Amino acid sequence: MANIKTIQAGKYNSLLANALKEIPEFKKPEWADFVKTSSSKERPTSEPDFWYKRAASILRQIYIKGIVGVNRLRSRYGSRKNRGKKPSHHYKAGGKIIRLILQQAESTQLIEKTKLPKAGRQLTQKGKELLESISGGAK
């Protein structure tokens, strides 16, 4: 069985995104096609499976890091903004998309909120089993 960390992230995320499409609680909201993912972006994403790929990426990050909060994920998915002649700066990603994906994962009991040792969200046993079953199929 392959370890999640040894599989290429893009390949693993696409497999996990396909598995998340089959879960009825993971639905892309109607407004998701019209909003930017960050203030550093010029346009909304045009990728049709963006919602599921971002959800898969967030679940993979939680698996690797352990306990992760929304603010850390905002920093992780942020990017540099082109400010013309001025130097570019890093801007955090929008929090609404990340929070909603985390809430959808909580409703399926893949993750849970924690208070100690630090506040954030961590995977449940059901979530770990799902992610590891996907890694077993990927080579």
Side-chain angles (χ1 to χ4, degrees), residues 3-62:
N3 187 359
I4 290 177
K5 295 177 184 178
T6 60
I7 302 171
Q8 287 181 338
K11 183 178 178 181
Y12 178 78
N13 285 345
S14 63
L15 291 172
L16 183 57
N18 290 334
L20 292 177
K21 284 182 192 177
E22 298 171 4
I23 299 175
E25 285 84 5
F26 274 99
K27 289 193 300 188
K28 179 172 81 167
E30 297 174 4
W31 52 263
D33 292 330
F34 306 110
V35 297
K36 301 188 304 179
T37 58
S38 173
S39 61
S40 63
K41 302 293 182 184
E42 291 185 8
R43 297 186 178 272
T45 182
S46 60
E47 195 172 341
D49 290 340
F50 164 76
W51 191 264
Y52 302 102
K53 289 182 180 179
R54 177 61 60 94
S57 178
I58 287 173
L59 289 175
R60 183 176 179 274
Q61 285 296 313
I62 294 173

Side-chain angles (χ1 to χ4, degrees), residues 12 16 19-20 23 110 126-134:
Y12 178 78
L16 183 57
L20 292 177
I23 299 175
L110 295 177
K126 180 181 174 184
K128 288 179 185 176
E129 290 172 0
L130 174 69
L131 270 69
E132 289 170 356
S133 69
I134 300 293

Side-chain angles (χ1 to χ4, degrees), residues 15-133:
L15 291 172
L16 183 57
N18 290 334
L20 292 177
K21 284 182 192 177
E22 298 171 4
I23 299 175
E25 285 84 5
F26 274 99
K27 289 193 300 188
K28 179 172 81 167
E30 297 174 4
W31 52 263
D33 292 330
F34 306 110
V35 297
K36 301 188 304 179
T37 58
S38 173
S39 61
S40 63
K41 302 293 182 184
E42 291 185 8
R43 297 186 178 272
T45 182
S46 60
E47 195 172 341
D49 290 340
F50 164 76
W51 191 264
Y52 302 102
K53 289 182 180 179
R54 177 61 60 94
S57 178
I58 287 173
L59 289 175
R60 183 176 179 274
Q61 285 296 313
I62 294 173
Y63 183 88
I64 291 171
K65 304 277 188 204
I67 298 174
V68 179
V70 175
N71 205 25
R72 181 180 287 187
L73 290 171
R74 286 184 67 201
S75 297
R76 165 72 176 86
Y77 293 108
S79 60
R80 290 188 325 187
K81 182 172 185 168
N82 182 3
R83 302 183 332 144
K85 290 184 178 181
K86 296 182 277 185
S88 57
H89 287 291
H90 183 268
Y91 284 80
K92 291 182 179 180
K96 174 72 173 185
I97 293 173
I98 294 170
R99 272 193 307 276
L100 193 56
I101 288 172
L102 292 174
Q103 290 167 359
Q104 289 177 347
E106 279 180 26
S107 68
T108 59
Q109 288 142 4
L110 295 177
I111 63 173
E112 63 187 1
K113 288 184 179 178
T114 61
K115 297 271 187 211
L116 298 173
K118 58 183 180 176
R121 289 177 170 94
Q122 68 181 3
L123 285 173
T124 61
Q125 191 60 35
K126 180 181 174 184
K128 288 179 185 176
E129 290 172 0
L130 174 69
L131 270 69
E132 289 170 356
S133 69

